[in-house]
Amino acid sequence: MPVAERTPQTLYDKVFQAHIVDEKLDGTILLYIDRHLVHEVTSPQAFEGLEKAGRKVRRPDCTLATTDHNVPTTSRKTLRDIASFIQEDDSRTQCVTLEENVKKFGVTYFGLSDKRQGIVHVIGPEQGFTLPGTTVVCGDSHTSTHGAFGALAFGIGTSEVEHVLATQTLITKRSKNMRILVDGELSPGVSSKDVVLHIIGKIGTAGGTGSVIEFAGSVIRSLSMEARMSICNMAIEGGARAGMVAPDEITFEYLKGRPLAPKCGSDEWNKAVAYWKSLQSDPDAKYDIDIHIDGKDIIPTVTWGTSPEDVVPITGSVPDPETFPTEAKKAAGRRMLEYMGLAAGTPMEDVVVDKVFIGSCTNSRIEDLRAAASVVKGKKIASNIKRALIVPGSGLVKEQAEAEGLDKIFADAGFEWREAGCSMCLGMNPDILSPKERCASTSNRNFEGRQGAQGRTHLMSPVMAAAAAIVGKLADVRKLAEYKGSPHIEAAVAPETTSGKAHADERIETDDHEKEALTDQPEDSSPQVNTSVPKAGSTGLPKFTVLKGIAAPMEKANIDTDAIIPKQFLKTIKRTGLGKALFYEWRYLDANTENPDFVLNQEPYRQAKIIVCTGPNFGCGSSREHAPWALNDFGVKSVIAPSFADIFFNNSFKNGMLPIAIKNKDDLEKVHAEAAAGREIEIDLPNQLIKDQDGNTICSFEVEEFRKHCLVNGFDDIGLTMQLEDKISEFEKKMTLETPWLDGRAYLKRKGQGGKLAAKAVPVPKTNRGETKTEPLEW
Ligand SMILES: CC(C)[C@H](C(=O)O)[C@@H](O)C(=O)O
Ligand code: SF4
């Protein structure tokens, strides 16, 4: 019999395929998740859901938690515990709740007293928790960062966090394959951040919607792991589900000696590397979208507007909205310039800056700090700079930087040297911009109000932010006389110091131990299997069949989740009560005054059950499920738009809501006209029709079979997944045999801790800052 030819596969296809537990005829897939990172903002409601249903965390050994978003970045010298350290009530509640949950559910946790604490996307790679070929998720949109290792890593909402905690799987479907080839070479002063800003400028914030982007080409190959992480980090800003880079020698070198990577030189390491090497896209693999970029066209790039796609080379000027192609774009551009306090035609280098922030999961790693330090060394920040913050991504990054004397370089120049956390990237902690303050920032989002209400953010690379601090304006780092460096080359040759040792793997003595641990799993370390029947009293979803009601018209493109629900409302540990905060910055002029111009403050739209948006990419940005929760709480059960950001789309279904994508312009216009006239519309889900208030059909719409089935029946998909328990356990057994290094139980056994999973989670109050010899930084 002739052997059937194998379809060539991309890197994404390979990793995805290797994790399929079950596939339905309509393409709905149950995907196994190898690594789950958890933080305090998106997990409380998930743990609460587990508890109500009487469920356990299925794989505590594959789950790692930390606090990052809410934590103050002030000195921790006086830290006793998180409850007394965090002043702000809601932030404290969220962090304390996480600590209670990790104890209750036996999850490994890095708290504020642990040097390994830091931004969730910095600590995963740092510990070797993130490995090539894995599936990695987190209730956070920038999970795409981990794709730099050739992992399939993506952000999820809180309901999905609960699903993964309970089942170690996710319900999903295949994404499109998109490849971005960056060939040639980068010029001096151009960093990976410039590459990704340039890419987003080119493809737009919706350019990657529905796709996983593979970044390839000679420029990408030449980059360090940290630089690759900065690129994959912002794949979400290009609208993609995930970003990936094929693993290579640079990847393997980075992983050597990381505590949770297989021990270098062992049989397990060799086996893992052989597998990782196979994770290259086949030469004849097909991509749905292919983009080519020449490295030499990229010059240091900054943003001018309020979306990451609004980029301009530093040598350019603020664009003139009147030159934009459509009326909607012109209007959006005018609003952005007003918000940003900029005039069209102003050279970017004339824009005066108030604050500088070097940090965030995009650019807070050791190489970023080294690169920034090389610019500021021996100089002082300009007198107009009110504050310049350096916020290392983790305690270990901070320690490494201090060992290299970078803290001193920054302090001498006038920067503040802070403790690890998300900090001014989104200002859920006290680090925020005051209204109208302008910030040169190495973070990833420049949405309205992102770094503080009415704050103005310009995104850029660490060397560019450092240059802005010195000059006092947005500045071209290439013009600073002493700066000759290339951000990555310099970083790559920097010496290894103390915290390099902290990464050393002291877990296994010999390969024999290792082999024994891998083939002989202790009985009591098997997954904590949940039953499909939830505890009485836990809730299902309301059924969605026919929805008739007033539809509010909106015309903007890229309505981001930060606009739908700003950060200050993410501090709740409940899913309810967010309706009042929906579209907060647009809806209110101040805490007590409504904005009469905003549609939801006008009759009859105060009663809206539906939103009809004519701009694409509704719900882009963060993974916060608070966005659909706020809409739901207000009374909106369905949003109709030309396109949606993937995570928002998923999150809506998980809450019994129906997002409808209507690509046909005429159809959408007709629905919009009904909304604009203040008439009701009817959404008939069983028949997939949108009707006017008299019952006449306006148009039909698409919805995936499985999602429709769940909505119409009000099914809790955790319960549905649990019915596939046999398949999940079968899959886990196969993984243990084929990729044993992914099995967290093996780490625990190797540590000789006796085989009780829950008891082995790192205890919360333990000090692990390495102050004494008895507190090694090991697992
Ligand atoms: C809080 C979290 C849901 C959010 C995200 O998903 O991105 C945050 O990290 C952000 O950057 O806005
Ligand atoms: S984008 Fe900012 S807020 Fe979000 S995880 Fe990264 S550092 Fe934290």
Side-chain angles (χ1 to χ4, degrees):
M1 234 170 73
V3 180
E5 268 191 35
R6 211 175 55 82
T7 321
Q9 288 182 306
T10 62
L11 163 62
Y12 162 69
D13 295 335
K14 289 183 184 182
V15 179
F16 190 84
Q17 192 65 37
H19 289 84
I20 296 179
V21 175
D22 185 54
E23 182 161 8
K24 300 253 176 292
L25 284 175
D26 73 343
T28 303
I29 282 162
L30 189 66
L31 195 74
Y32 195 78
I33 301 302
D34 299 315
R35 296 288 181 259
H36 188 188
L37 290 151
V38 172
H39 66 63
E40 80 276 15
V41 183
T42 50
S43 64
Q45 298 85 351
F47 283 114
E48 185 192 52
L50 279 193
E51 200 168 2
K52 277 196 179 152
R55 291 169 176 151
K56 302 188 187 100
V57 173
R58 183 186 175 90
R59 295 293 301 262
D61 59 323
C62 296
T63 311
L64 174 58
T66 195
T67 35
D68 52 5
H69 285 69
N70 283 279
V71 301
T73 55
T74 46
S75 164
R76 291 183 194 159
K77 285 207 175 97
T78 57
L79 173 77
R80 274 191 302 113
D81 54 37
I82 206 158
S84 57
F85 190 66
I86 300 187
Q87 298 305 310
E88 208 272 327
D89 290 345
D90 294 338
S91 289
R92 183 174 55 241
T93 303
Q94 219 162 44
C95 293
V96 168
T97 304
L98 179 63
E99 295 209 340
E100 286 167 3
N101 283 327
V102 297
K103 273 194 235 170
K104 224 181 274 173
F105 289 90
V107 168
T108 302
Y109 168 70
F110 297 161
L112 287 194
S113 59
D114 191 316
K115 270 187 191 167
R116 298 166 297 180
Q117 175 269 342
I119 306 173
V120 77
H121 310 306
V122 174
I123 68 170
E126 195 169 71
Q127 292 298 317
F129 186 70
T130 307
L131 292 170
T134 51
T135 45
V136 182
V137 296
C138 174
D140 198 285
S141 55
H142 291 100
T143 310
S144 57
T145 312
H146 309 259
F149 290 79
L152 173 58
F154 52 92
I156 55 178
T158 298
S159 299
E160 291 183 310
V161 168
E162 185 180 337
H163 194 283
V164 178
L165 289 172
T167 68
Q168 205 60 27
T169 64
L170 264 185
I171 297 172
T172 187
K173 62 182 177 66
R174 282 194 174 76
S175 300
K176 284 184 287 185
N177 275 292
M178 178 169 181
R179 180 172 57 176
I180 300 187
L181 278 163
V182 191
D183 277 318
E185 274 178 37
L186 295 181
S187 317
V190 178
S191 72
S192 60
K193 181 66 163 284
D194 301 305
V195 174
V196 73
L197 287 173
H198 181 92
I199 289 172
I200 295 164
K202 202 160 166 138
I203 67 171
T205 47
T209 307
S211 308
V212 169
I213 302 177
E214 179 175 346
F215 296 100
S218 57
V219 164
I220 306 293
R221 297 254 72 84
S222 72
L223 295 175
S224 69
M225 282 315 295
E226 299 197 354
R228 292 178 191 181
M229 282 189 243
S230 304
I231 293 192
C232 289
N233 173 277
M234 289 193 72
I236 184 72
E237 261 60 65
R241 189 85 184 101
M244 296 177 91
V245 176
D248 59 10
E249 289 304 327
I250 293 177
T251 319
F252 311 148
E253 203 48 47
Y254 176 95
L255 287 170
K256 283 183 186 163
R258 304 268 158 195
L260 298 183
K263 186 172 163 60
C264 180
S266 66
D267 283 354
E268 193 184 45
W269 169 264
N270 296 337
K271 193 174 169 197
V273 170
Y275 174 60
W276 297 342
K277 283 187 175 163
S278 74
L279 297 173
Q280 302 287 326
S281 292
D282 294 330
D284 38 2
K286 298 262 175 309
Y287 293 86
D288 302 287
I289 309 163
D290 233 330
I291 309 269
H292 292 259
I293 287 172
D294 190 336
K296 75 169 174 344
D297 296 338
I298 307 175
I299 61 172
T301 301
V302 294
T303 57
W304 58 270
T306 54
S307 163
E309 69 187 13
D310 304 327
V311 299
V312 63
I314 184 64
T315 48
S317 317
V318 177
D320 183 353
E322 304 316 318
T323 63
F324 292 179
T326 63
E327 203 34 62
K329 290 206 162 119
K330 286 182 186 155
R334 284 181 213 122
R335 182 183 159 99
M336 285 188 205
L337 290 199
E338 196 194 326
Y339 181 88
M340 292 296 291
L342 293 171
T346 308
M348 292 313 288
E349 289 178 85
D350 286 356
V351 175
V352 178
V353 168
D354 303 302
K355 284 187 176 162
V356 175
F357 170 61
I358 299 185
S360 88
C361 55
T362 320
N363 284 124
S364 62
R365 298 180 179 81
I366 190 67
E367 293 181 8
D368 299 315
L369 303 191
R370 287 173 187 153
S374 74
V375 174
V376 307
K377 191 169 186 178
K379 302 192 183 70
K380 296 271 179 236
I381 61 174
S383 55
N384 60 299
I385 300 290
K386 296 183 201 157
R387 276 185 90 184
L389 268 71
I390 309 278
V391 185
S394 72
L396 289 174
V397 171
K398 179 166 184 274
E399 183 191 54
Q400 172 86 20
E402 286 168 358
E404 294 178 23
L406 305 186
D407 57 327
K408 189 140 190 341
I409 295 176
F410 287 122
D412 289 349
F415 283 86
E416 293 174 41
W417 180 246
R418 315 285 291 190
E419 292 278 347
C422 293
S423 179
M424 206 189 268
C425 172
L426 100 161
M428 279 186 79
N429 76 345
D431 306 338
I432 54 169
L433 296 182
S434 300
K436 306 210 165 152
E437 269 181 350
R438 188 180 300 285
C439 183
S441 178
T442 65
S443 53
N444 43 47
R445 289 187 175 142
N446 51 345
F447 301 149
E448 286 185 17
R450 171 76 182 178
Q451 297 189 288
Q454 294 176 55
R456 295 163 173 166
T457 303
H458 295 271
L459 303 177
M460 64 197 70
S461 73
V463 290
M464 287 287 286
I470 302 302
V471 176
K473 298 180 192 171
L474 299 182
D476 189 340
V477 66
R478 299 170 303 175
K479 293 187 188 161
L480 292 195
E482 301 82 354
Y483 178 70
K484 307 239 166 19
S486 157
H488 305 302
I489 292 165
E490 178 164 355
V493 298
E496 270 299 309
T497 54
T498 52
S499 76
K501 288 209 188 75
H503 293 309
D505 185 345
E506 292 159 353
R507 290 168 295 122
I508 27 182
E509 308 297 331
T510 66
D511 289 355
D512 287 348
H513 270 141
E514 191 183 352
K515 274 189 221 139
E516 182 249 341
L518 296 172
T519 49
D520 179 24
Q521 294 294 326
E523 248 179 42
D524 60 357
S525 74
S526 25
Q528 310 201 85
V529 175
N530 291 300
T531 66
S532 56
V533 186
K535 204 165 82 179
S538 66
T539 50
L541 287 175
K543 294 182 181 171
F544 189 120
T545 48
V546 174
L547 173 70
K548 191 168 181 187
I550 290 295
M554 294 182 93
E555 290 80 25
K556 270 169 78 73
N558 301 326
I559 295 187
D560 58 74
T561 50
D562 287 55
I564 299 172
I565 181 102
K567 56 176 163 267
Q568 60 270 35
F569 303 104
L570 307 188
K571 298 187 183 185
T572 173
I573 55 168
K574 299 281 164 215
R575 291 174 200 244
T576 48
L578 290 170
K580 285 193 285 310
L582 178 69
F583 293 117
Y584 187 82
E585 294 293 334
W586 297 347
R587 208 158 130 214
Y588 305 99
L589 295 173
D590 60 50
N592 304 313
T593 326
E594 284 185 352
N595 174 1
D597 296 336
F598 187 63
V599 64
L600 295 183
N601 292 330
Q602 298 163 356
E603 291 299 344
Y605 303 116
R606 286 178 189 278
Q607 286 80 46
K609 291 187 183 163
I610 301 161
I611 286 178
V612 181
C613 181
T614 50
N617 204 23
F618 190 96
C620 57
S622 128
S623 69
R624 56 191 75 169
E625 200 163 314
H626 310 66
W629 292 338
L631 285 161
N632 205 344
D633 198 56
F634 180 87
V636 170
K637 309 290 174 202
S638 177
V639 179
I640 301 173
S643 62
F644 293 88
D646 294 334
I647 309 180
F648 175 84
F649 193 70
N650 279 339
N651 284 344
S652 302
F653 283 103
K654 304 287 172 193
N655 289 281
M657 298 162 69
L658 176 62
I660 302 178
I662 298 199
K663 299 222 161 43
N664 182 305
K665 263 191 155 186
D666 294 341
D667 285 347
L668 187 60
E669 261 319 312
K670 282 187 224 150
V671 181
H672 179 254
E674 294 301 306
R679 289 191 286 269
E680 289 193 329
I681 62 171
E682 182 181 319
I683 297 171
D684 175 350
L685 176 57
N687 294 306
Q688 298 180 215
L689 294 173
I690 300 178
K691 300 176 185 168
D692 67 16
Q693 66 179 20
D694 302 322
N696 305 311
T697 298
I698 306 175
C699 61
S700 61
F701 62 88
E702 300 286 316
V703 57
E704 285 157 55
E705 223 21 71
F706 179 74
R707 294 192 196 269
K708 178 173 162 182
H709 177 68
C710 288
L711 277 189
V712 170
N713 295 294
F715 281 152
D716 151 31
D717 57 10
I718 299 185
L720 290 180
T721 298
M722 280 169 180
Q723 293 169 8
L724 297 175
E725 172 54 35
D726 287 355
K727 289 195 170 184
I728 301 175
S729 335
E730 195 64 21
F731 186 87
E732 279 171 333
K733 282 193 196 120
K734 188 179 82 150
M735 292 287 278
T736 297
L737 282 177
E738 289 175 3
T739 50
W741 57 88
L742 298 184
D743 215 330
R745 290 168 299 191
Y747 308 128
L748 299 173
K749 174 121 192 247
R750 272 178 274 173
K751 284 275 291 167
Q753 291 182 352
K756 284 208 178 52
L757 272 176
K760 280 178 279 174
V762 174
V764 175
K766 182 179 163 194
T767 298
N768 202 353
R769 294 174 69 78
E771 285 95 352
T772 71
K773 286 214 172 75
T774 53
E775 293 171 335
L777 294 168
E778 62 180 36
W779 284 66

